[in-house]
Structure formats: structure tokens, C-alpha cells
Amino acid sequence: MPTTAYAHDSTAAWRRANRERALPGRTVILKIKRCDGPGKPARWESFKVPVEPGMNVIAALKHIAANPVTADATHTTPVVYDANCLEEVCGACTMVINGHARQSCSCLLDEYAPREGDTITLEPMSKFPVVRDLWVDRSRLFHALTRVKAWVPIDGTYDLGAGPKEDPASQQDRYGMSECMSCGCCLEACPQYTHEDDESKWDTSFVGAHAISQARLFNEHPTGKELKPDRLDELMTPGGVTDCGNAQNCVKACPKGIPLTESIAAIGRQVTLRAFARFFQGK
Ligand code: SF4
Ligand code: SF4
Ligand code: FES
């Protein structure tokens, strides 16, 4: 039986070639890493799934849920996963597919398992605690966004009047960064971002490329830059931008093509200037 010998080659051209040669009416194997809850041991289960045209990984998981019987005819429970938008916008369905973190809602079986009997492996992301099966708790990722105050400071309790004028060129620059969907792919790929269950360490462990990029986004926003000193001060502390090892895995892993290494370099420069300013102000 053929195995997935091309698991790590997931370029767009490779996926397109697989789509074009995908065999109609085939059955593929989903090999899924399962876990019944936090602290419980993991196990692998395999399922046979008949492929329908255009089927994605979420549809395959729904097929399994309707009849949760493994490939060796053992009755089991439906596989638990997270999902919301089903159009690669919310990031909730991110899992490790054939060794790479990506969104399962946009992952087509034709692209990853084009032949009869091909196997696709599904695992939960390793950098976040597993809630159950493929569902992970991404709270730490959102906590990092609060660390860098990734928001525009607006008090909605009274009329603030017109805000500063927007420059279309700067809006265009920020647009790319604003597409971040907090999926966690950049963190899963980053050697500096390690699994941390102890919440008391979330304020000193590496914030991650997504948070650094969001800090840059809001530092460049006409109103958001009010909080720029706070953001840079936070990014000077342990777990800040200097913890980045510059391996550049993050930018390759980001499904939205966000210029993460540019953001890391830009924030690095801003932090240096802020450190000089603080030095001369005696802070
Ligand atoms: S460049 Fe920095 S944030 Fe990106 S993967 Fe490397 S260490 Fe992680
Ligand atoms: S920067 Fe990219 S990979 Fe990282 S959380 Fe945002 S969308 Fe996902
Ligand atoms: S369900 Fe929202 S990105 Fe997949």
C-alpha cells in the first residue's frame, strides 16, 4: 500500500499537481493522534475515509464522527477538533497535518492523498495544551497579544471627535499585518517558542512572532501609536523581541504571508531607539 512519501513537500505547485491526478472514488486513511484530555496518554487511531470531490479534512472528520469505527473495525468515539469559520479566517481549526501546522478547513484530501490508500496524519499542535484529540487551548497566544497591548486605545463611553487622518499608503502597509488570524502556525514552527503549561511563566516566555507583528501593526496605526512606548517597554523584557533567534521558520509557516521577519526587524529597531531614549531621559 502506498504511503505518503511526499509529506513534507507541500508547495502550491505540488498540491496543484496532486489535485490534478487525484483518483476519483478512492479510499484514504486518516491516521489521527488522539488524547482523552489534559494529562492523559496519547494514542494513534486510523480510519478509512471514502473521498468525495472537494472533500476537506473537516468533512473527513465529520464522516468519521457519523460512524466512529477504526480501520481495524474497533468502535471508538468521534474525534474532537475545533473549527468555526470554515474559510481560513478564524484560525481555530489549525492542526499538524503531515508534519506541518495548517488549517484543516482549507486542507483538501485531493492535495494530500491523491491515490488509493494514501495516508494523512493529523496531530494537535505541540506548543499548546491539548484539550482533547486535535483541539488545543490557544489562550497563551491571546495572552501574548494582551502583553503587547495589541489594540487601538479607544474609550467608547463618550464622543472623542474625529481621529487622526489616515494615509492610504500606510493603511496599505498595515493591511498585510492585519490579516493575522491568531492561528498559531508561526508559533508551532518557532524553535524559541516552547510548550509552557505554567501560566505564571507566560509573562516572561517568548511572546512569539504573531505578537511582535501585531505590536508593529498598532505602533504604526495613527491612534494605536499612543501605546507604542508601553509596547516597546514590554518587548524589552524577558520573552521580548531579543528572544527571537532569527531562524525565520515563522515567516515560512504563516498561511497569510504576513511579513513576520520584517516586523521582527522593525520592532528590533524601535526597541533600540526606545532604549536610547530611556537612557537619555534617565528612566
Ligand atoms: S525568526 Fe524568531 S519568531 Fe520567527 S521562527 Fe525564528 S526565532 Fe521564532
Ligand atoms: S502571524 Fe500568521 S501564522 Fe502567526 S498567528 Fe498570525 S496568521 Fe497565524
Ligand atoms: S475553521 Fe476557521 S480557519 Fe478553519
Side-chain angles (χ1 to χ4, degrees):
M1 181 169 292
T3 55
T4 315
Y6 35 71
H8 296 293
D9 181 1
S10 58
T11 62
W14 171 84
R15 294 200 306 268
R16 189 170 55 248
N18 279 348
R19 233 173 21 239
E20 284 165 6
R21 71 188 175 121
L23 203 67
R26 69 195 183 285
T27 295
V28 299
I29 309 290
L30 256 61
K31 186 179 171 197
I32 303 175
K33 191 174 189 181
R34 305 203 55 182
C35 172
D36 291 338
K40 300 273 175 64
R43 68 184 188 281
W44 289 92
E45 285 181 355
S46 295
F47 300 86
K48 287 182 183 164
V49 177
V51 180
E52 290 173 19
M55 198 173 197
N56 60 15
V57 166
I58 297 277
L61 290 169
K62 284 185 176 169
H63 174 89
I64 293 168
N67 183 27
V69 177
T70 65
D72 61 5
T74 306
H75 285 266
T76 184
T77 50
V79 179
V80 177
Y81 57 94
D82 197 4
N84 190 356
C85 68
L86 301 182
E87 54 181 356
E88 210 183 81
V89 171
C90 73
C93 69
T94 306
M95 56 185 74
V96 178
I97 301 177
N98 285 357
H100 293 268
R102 59 158 298 164
Q103 286 64 57
S104 49
C105 67
S106 58
C107 180
L108 300 178
L109 298 197
D110 282 354
E111 295 183 346
Y112 282 75
R115 299 171 302 189
E116 175 69 27
D118 271 351
T119 298
I120 298 179
T121 60
L122 306 181
E123 299 168 69
M125 283 194 283
S126 65
K127 303 291 174 78
F128 303 101
V130 173
V131 180
R132 188 164 176 172
D133 293 337
L134 302 170
W135 175 22
V136 296
D137 179 355
R138 289 176 297 146
S139 299
R140 182 176 160 211
L141 179 159
F142 298 107
H143 180 80
L145 296 176
T146 64
R147 269 180 78 181
V148 300
K149 300 191 177 172
W151 55 74
V152 173
I154 294 289
D155 183 345
T157 56
Y158 62 99
D159 184 3
L160 294 168
K165 279 196 176 163
E166 284 276 0
D167 163 23
S170 144
Q171 267 182 322
Q172 190 64 36
D173 282 349
R174 294 198 314 268
Y175 182 75
M177 290 180 274
S178 75
E179 286 192 285
C180 177
M181 56 179 166
S182 301
C183 66
C185 289
C186 57
L187 308 175
E188 183 69 15
C190 174
Q192 300 299 109
Y193 193 89
T194 49
H195 186 105
E196 183 54 80
D197 279 337
D198 182 352
E199 287 184 33
S200 70
K201 296 192 177 147
W202 286 2
D203 282 328
T204 48
S205 54
F206 184 41
V207 282
H210 75 301
I212 295 172
S213 194
Q214 291 300 290
R216 178 185 172 211
L217 166 67
F218 289 102
N219 281 357
E220 292 179 7
H221 186 277
T223 309
K225 68 180 169 199
E226 293 283 320
L227 296 176
K228 183 173 176 181
D230 293 4
R231 293 190 193 101
L232 296 179
D233 286 349
E234 177 61 25
L235 286 166
M236 279 181 211
T237 62
V241 69
T242 53
D243 278 24
C244 166
N246 204 25
Q248 309 201 356
N249 294 2
C250 50
V251 73
K252 292 178 206 142
C254 177
K256 294 295 182 188
I258 294 173
L260 294 170
T261 42
E262 270 176 41
S263 292
I264 291 164
I267 287 291
R269 288 190 294 273
Q270 292 176 19
V271 160
T272 305
L273 291 175
R274 172 78 182 150
F276 274 123
R278 279 178 48 169
F279 176 77
F280 287 113
Q281 288 162 2
K283 288 185 183 171

